[in-house]
């Protein structure tokens, strides 16, 4: 991943984790807890793709495993979010832009259910039967509902922030990806980012050149008359 992606991902995940631990985990809602870290991973994966989503998911899950009051083995949630981030990245829309809200909402529901099942499955392998005592069906239903209610306020915002960082001409130009790409970015920045039009610039240059030729012709005629 590029350095700007890493910095942005770390910042968003840390903020989501702080809100998760300090606010959402203390709401004492029935069943599961709204998973803001999961939604952050989904939003970034829908922009960065499957590989970026896997890296972000692993890092976010590892931070969640180590953040207090974690009561499970380190690496358990990292594995879950790594797989979820990879799968969500496969559903990345064209150019990271959403055409409708249906696709991301389906991704959120599938991720909420899938992450709960994976977490419970990994826990069963290591001898953790907490999900069985709470009720797996109740956890699946509440996790899907809570994340679906929270998703419209988080996933589009995270995707917009990630897209804005991806389309930053200064960041892309300094990444050293080649002269051709830099020229395309510069042209896009001039035509889109500053509100100028390349066609209008060319037309202005033609008008200026015509004026220069007319002025030169006038000076030549004046010299001949003298």
């Amino acid at each position: 991943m590029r350095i700007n992606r890493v910095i942005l991902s770390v910042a968003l995940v840390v903020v989501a984790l702080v809100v998760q631990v300090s606010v959402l985990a203390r709401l004492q809602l029935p069943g599961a807890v709204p998973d803001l870290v999961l939604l952050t991973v989904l939003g970034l994966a829908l922009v960065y793709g499957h590989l970026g989503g896997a890296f972000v998911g692993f890092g976010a899950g590892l931070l969640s495993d180590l953040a207090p009051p974690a009561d499970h083995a380190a690496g358990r949630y990292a594995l879950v979010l790594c797989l979820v981030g990879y799968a969500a990245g496969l559903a990345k829309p064209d150019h990271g832009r959403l055409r409708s809200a249906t696709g991301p909402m389906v991704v959120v529901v599938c991720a909420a259910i899938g992450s709960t099942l994976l977490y419970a499955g990994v826990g069963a392998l290591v001898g953790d039967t907490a999900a069985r005592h709470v009720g797996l069906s109740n956890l699946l239903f509440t996790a899907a509902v809570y994340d679906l209610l929270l998703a419209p306020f988080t996933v589009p915002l995270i995707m917009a922030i990630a897209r804005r960082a991806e389309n930053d001409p200064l960041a892309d130009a300094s990444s050293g990806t080649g002269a051709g790409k830099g020229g395309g970015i510069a042209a896009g920045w001039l035509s889109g980012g500053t509100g100028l039009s390349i066609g209008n610039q060319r037309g202005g240059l033609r008008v200026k050149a015509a004026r220069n030729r007319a002025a030169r012709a006038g000076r030549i005629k004046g010299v001949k008359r003298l």
Side-chain angles (χ1 to χ4, degrees), residues 141-166:
F141 177 75
T142 54
V145 171
Y146 294 156
D147 291 347
L148 191 60
L149 292 176
L150 188 59
F153 305 99
T154 55
V155 175
L157 177 62
I158 292 169
M159 292 184 66
I161 295 174
R163 285 200 308 265
R164 186 175 182 85
E166 289 289 287

Side-chain angles (χ1 to χ4, degrees), residues 28-40:
Q28 297 182 352
L29 297 173
V33 176
D35 199 339
L36 185 59
V37 176
L38 172 65
L39 296 177
T40 302

Side-chain angles (χ1 to χ4, degrees), residues 12-110:
L12 291 176
V13 168
V14 168
V15 172
L17 183 59
V18 170
V19 176
Q20 177 83 30
V21 173
S22 60
V23 179
L24 298 179
R26 299 185 179 183
L27 294 178
Q28 297 182 352
L29 297 173
V33 176
D35 199 339
L36 185 59
V37 176
L38 172 65
L39 296 177
T40 302
V41 172
L42 295 180
L44 294 174
L46 289 173
V47 177
Y48 295 158
H50 58 284
L51 291 180
F55 281 114
V56 173
F58 179 81
L62 188 60
L63 287 177
S64 300
D65 289 330
L66 300 176
D71 56 354
H72 55 268
R76 181 175 169 183
Y77 204 46
L79 174 61
V80 172
L81 286 189
C82 180
L83 296 176
V84 170
Y86 182 89
L90 296 176
K92 172 186 174 182
D94 295 337
H95 307 294
R97 297 185 180 276
L98 297 176
R99 295 183 178 178
S100 67
T102 304
M105 292 301 101
V106 173
V107 172
V108 169
V109 173
C110 293

Side-chain angles (χ1 to χ4, degrees), residues 153-222:
F153 305 99
T154 55
V155 175
L157 177 62
I158 292 169
M159 292 184 66
I161 295 174
R163 285 200 308 265
R164 186 175 182 85
E166 289 289 287
N167 295 332
D168 188 354
L170 297 179
D172 288 338
S174 61
S175 61
T177 54
K181 185 177 179 180
I185 293 170
W189 182 45
L190 288 174
S191 61
T194 61
L196 299 178
S197 173
I198 301 299
N200 291 340
Q201 290 178 351
R202 291 176 178 174
L205 292 176
R206 294 193 187 99
V207 173
K208 186 176 181 180
R211 291 177 178 175
N212 291 336
R213 287 195 297 269
R216 193 180 305 112
R219 288 195 297 269
I220 293 174
K221 290 181 180 179

